[in-house]
Amino acid sequence: MTEMTLEQARTALMALQKKMAAYEHAIGLLQYDGATTAPKETADNRAVTLSVLSEEIYCLGTSEETVALLAFLDAHKDALNEKEQRMVYLMYKDIRDMQKIPMAEYVAYQELLVKADDVWHRAKEASDFELFRPILEEIFATTKRFALYIEPDKDPYDHQLGEFEEGLNKETLDAFFAKLRGKLVPLLQQIAAKEQVDDSIRFGRFPIDKQEELSYYLMQLMGLDLGHVGLSTTEHPFTTSLGSHRDERITTHYFEKDFVSSMYSVIHEGGHALYDTGSADDLAYTVLDGGTSMSIHESQSRFYENIIGRSRAYCRLVFPKLQELFPEELAGRTAEELYRAVNKAAPSLIRTEADEVTYCLHVMIRYELEKRVFAGELAVKDLPTEWNRLYKAYLGVDVPDDKHGVLQDSHWSGGMIGYFPSYALGSAYGAQFLSKMKETVAVDACIEAGDFAPINDWNREHIWQYGRLYTPAQILERVLGEPFDADYYIDYLTEKCRDIYHL
């Protein structure tokens, strides 16, 4: 490497990233296929292929040539531009981490996750946690072992949290959740004392083909480029980039008796897709492509789903389309009824369908469970019992079965332990972003007019275009110009509930 010039090293860096992106593209396609259209009994076949591809990625990333290239560029980082410096930092960090994990264990874990996804689907369908338990025990054990390989002197759950939000730890989250709990629980108690909102407008018979038509209408309305963003169905909605931000896939799940569920899944996943496709084009096929952290990512999905999608202006905007698609079910109903229905605050079983006020309580439960499993205070086999107890204690609801309880989310089957707090943090980030956005954008007027361009342009200018160039803390500092403050989120929720429930 000492004989290579700086320009040659720069060229080699871009070629390396492009090659790694190609492997990730292939893996992503296989995983997407497995979650959407693949026949049920094909997981073992995908696992074999993914184990081979994972080994290739491991070998490429940890090879002497790659390590030497990054060491050379790191030694000459003062001569690199800002983007190149960040690329080298992220790649060097990933390689150092990967080198601490034996290749055989790394490859075996990738194969395990493919099988886990298949087992989770079957377990959820059968509402049988015991079917999923052995593989979940292995996922928790492996994830904790890898965390200790990489940072042996750090709390392994703090490591996991940092994998999804750089710098995040239990101390920060404990304080954040304590603040939310202290303000939102009394708010819920005030709401419970009021006459409950009638949400019957969302229930009836809504043909799946019409819901699909609605999905594409919503995607176009929010400004998604359907030439680069696809839609499929799956058990648990998600968004994924395939190869680069130029190929984005979102998924939803339709319920014939409730159109609202899929409607907000599409808006939520569409928010993720807007963020990803908003990356600057020169970041494609590099490690800077895509969102900087899952909390910033969730700030965008939750912003569009809730702050935009559950606003009175948005309900008025889309209601004529809803009446066009579902004329019989929505005959004589009003946009105001829809607004009140989609903002009904009441304890429920399912996180993805929870209202904004109770949503963070769902996240807190998952956070508490993960933290205790990693600390050795809770066995995986006891997760269903403890899940059910916490749902009763936090939300006052009885969990009828595993399908509607501990098996409802797909995250653990994908090894995404430490991800859930991102949803709550992202929700709070989004409220503070809204306050800043309103300084220069007439947000409500844009929604009323069905013109999302000014809103999207603001997000693109301040957040999307940078991909992973800046850390989440740097994004917050650049956008807000002040420290993160969860009171923006609490105030936003309180104001909305005062309006709906006349508190």
Side-chain angles (χ1 to χ4, degrees):
M1 187 58 63
T2 55
E3 298 179 359
M4 181 178 284
T5 67
L6 186 58
E7 286 307 310
Q8 288 173 327
R10 280 177 160 146
T11 300
L13 175 68
M14 299 306 291
L16 173 63
Q17 291 178 92
K18 193 171 185 179
K19 188 171 184 178
M20 295 186 79
Y23 279 119
E24 295 292 348
H25 189 179
I27 287 176
L29 279 169
L30 286 167
Q31 292 173 333
Y32 177 76
D33 176 65
T36 54
T37 61
K40 288 187 176 181
E41 304 301 325
T42 59
D44 287 345
N45 186 48
R46 288 191 304 280
V48 172
T49 301
L50 284 167
S51 68
V52 173
L53 291 173
S54 298
E55 185 172 339
E56 289 296 315
I57 289 176
Y58 185 98
C59 292
L60 176 63
T62 59
S63 69
E64 291 183 10
E65 293 81 1
T66 296
V67 174
L69 171 64
L70 293 175
F72 176 82
L73 288 167
D74 188 55
H76 295 82
K77 60 185 175 185
D78 290 343
L80 304 178
N81 63 39
E82 184 182 31
K83 291 178 181 176
E84 291 169 335
Q85 288 181 10
R86 181 68 171 162
M87 289 174 190
V88 171
Y89 169 79
L90 289 172
M91 294 181 72
Y92 220 174
K93 178 183 180 301
D94 286 347
I95 286 171
R96 289 188 182 114
D97 290 350
M98 192 178 292
Q99 286 177 318
K100 296 173 183 177
I101 301 172
M103 184 176 72
E105 292 186 40
Y106 174 83
V107 172
Y109 184 57
Q110 306 311 309
E111 189 171 350
L112 173 70
L113 294 181
V114 178
K115 296 177 179 178
D117 181 70
D118 176 65
V119 173
W120 170 76
H121 276 88
R122 289 190 282 113
K124 183 177 180 181
E125 185 176 355
S127 192
D128 182 5
F129 179 77
E130 277 303 301
L131 181 62
F132 185 52
R133 178 184 58 77
I135 207 162
L136 183 59
E137 288 176 336
E138 195 171 351
I139 287 172
F140 265 100
T142 304
T143 305
K144 183 176 180 179
R145 186 169 71 252
F146 285 5
L148 291 171
Y149 282 159
I150 295 168
E151 295 187 280
D153 298 325
K154 187 173 186 177
D155 181 284
Y157 192 59
D158 279 346
H159 170 84
Q160 281 304 116
L161 294 170
E163 289 291 283
F164 298 101
E165 180 80 358
E166 189 173 339
L168 187 62
N169 55 43
K170 292 183 294 185
E171 182 180 2
T172 299
L173 279 175
D174 287 344
F176 170 68
F177 282 131
K179 185 172 191 178
L180 290 188
R181 194 161 46 239
K183 296 293 181 70
L184 296 185
V185 170
L187 180 61
L188 275 171
Q189 291 171 343
Q190 291 181 57
I191 292 170
K194 295 289 185 175
E195 182 179 353
Q196 290 306 294
V197 166
D198 176 11
D199 63 350
S200 61
I201 189 173
R202 66 183 290 177
F203 303 112
R205 183 182 177 276
F206 304 94
I208 300 301
D209 62 328
K210 294 299 182 181
Q211 289 195 56
E212 185 176 16
E213 187 176 339
L214 173 63
S215 296
Y216 284 104
Y217 163 78
L218 296 171
M219 291 167 68
Q220 290 176 305
L221 181 63
M222 65 194 300
L224 287 168
D225 177 2
L226 300 189
H228 292 92
V229 181
L231 172 69
S232 294
T233 58
T234 190
E235 175 62 30
H236 189 105
F238 67 90
T239 301
T240 187
S241 296
L242 297 178
S244 78
H245 68 270
R246 294 166 178 164
D247 186 351
E248 197 77 9
R249 310 294 175 90
I250 72 173
T251 70
T252 190
H253 188 106
Y254 296 114
F255 296 93
E256 189 174 25
K257 296 182 180 180
D258 178 8
F259 77 92
V260 167
S261 178
S262 174
M263 175 176 168
Y264 284 99
S265 287
V266 169
I267 302 171
H268 178 98
E269 302 306 337
H272 282 304
L274 282 171
Y275 186 8
D276 282 337
T277 57
S279 288
D281 283 341
D282 65 351
L283 301 184
Y285 313 114
T286 76
V287 294
L288 301 187
D289 199 16
T292 188
S293 76
M294 290 320 305
S295 293
I296 300 295
H297 235 304
E298 295 300 343
S299 79
Q300 300 305 287
S301 61
R302 302 281 293 167
F303 176 88
Y304 282 90
E305 176 193 357
N306 296 319
I307 292 175
I308 300 294
R310 296 182 195 270
S311 67
R312 181 176 273 115
Y314 189 85
C315 290
R316 288 173 177 167
L317 174 66
V318 302
F319 197 69
K321 183 66 175 181
L322 293 171
Q323 287 186 309
E324 174 192 324
L325 293 170
F326 313 116
E328 293 183 10
E329 296 292 348
L330 299 183
R333 310 306 290 258
T334 67
E336 181 65 17
E337 288 178 273
L338 176 66
Y339 170 69
R340 293 175 64 80
V342 300
N343 286 289
K344 178 180 180 179
S348 60
L349 283 169
I350 307 300
R351 175 189 61 83
T352 56
E353 297 176 14
D355 62 87
E356 291 182 89
V357 182
T358 62
Y359 183 86
C360 287
L361 297 178
H362 290 259
V363 175
M364 288 182 209
I365 289 170
R366 289 149 178 79
Y367 169 63
E368 293 290 339
L369 293 174
E370 290 184 346
K371 186 168 61 171
R372 289 166 59 193
V373 170
F374 258 60
E377 298 169 359
L378 179 66
V380 170
K381 68 179 178 63
D382 296 323
L383 277 172
T385 300
E386 191 62 5
W387 177 290
N388 297 351
R389 186 188 72 80
L390 289 176
Y391 260 78
K392 186 67 173 179
Y394 280 45
L395 289 156
V397 297
D398 294 307
V399 180
D401 52 40
D402 292 340
K403 180 175 183 177
H404 295 89
V406 71
L407 291 174
Q408 68 179 261
D409 294 309
S410 64
H411 299 63
W412 288 341
S413 69
M416 292 185 286
I417 299 164
Y419 184 119
F420 284 113
S422 301
Y423 289 113
L425 275 176
S427 297
Y429 290 168
Q432 197 164 356
F433 287 154
L434 173 69
S435 178
K436 197 68 178 178
M437 183 186 292
K438 282 186 170 181
E439 294 178 5
T440 55
V441 178
V443 176
D444 292 335
C446 289
I447 300 171
E448 289 173 2
D451 179 12
F452 288 80
I455 295 170
N456 293 349
D457 289 345
W458 190 94
N459 281 323
R460 184 178 295 105
E461 177 186 351
H462 293 89
I463 303 171
W464 301 348
Q465 67 167 318
Y466 298 112
R468 297 180 69 197
L469 178 59
Y470 300 117
T471 67
Q474 288 171 328
I475 287 289
L476 291 172
E477 182 180 350
R478 291 170 65 91
V479 175
L480 302 175
E482 64 178 346
F484 165 61
D485 186 351
D487 281 334
Y488 282 90
Y489 181 50
I490 294 167
D491 292 345
Y492 156 77
L493 291 175
T494 303
E495 182 180 347
K496 178 180 277 192
C497 291
R498 280 174 179 163
D499 171 56
I500 294 172
Y501 287 94
H502 308 293
L503 300 179

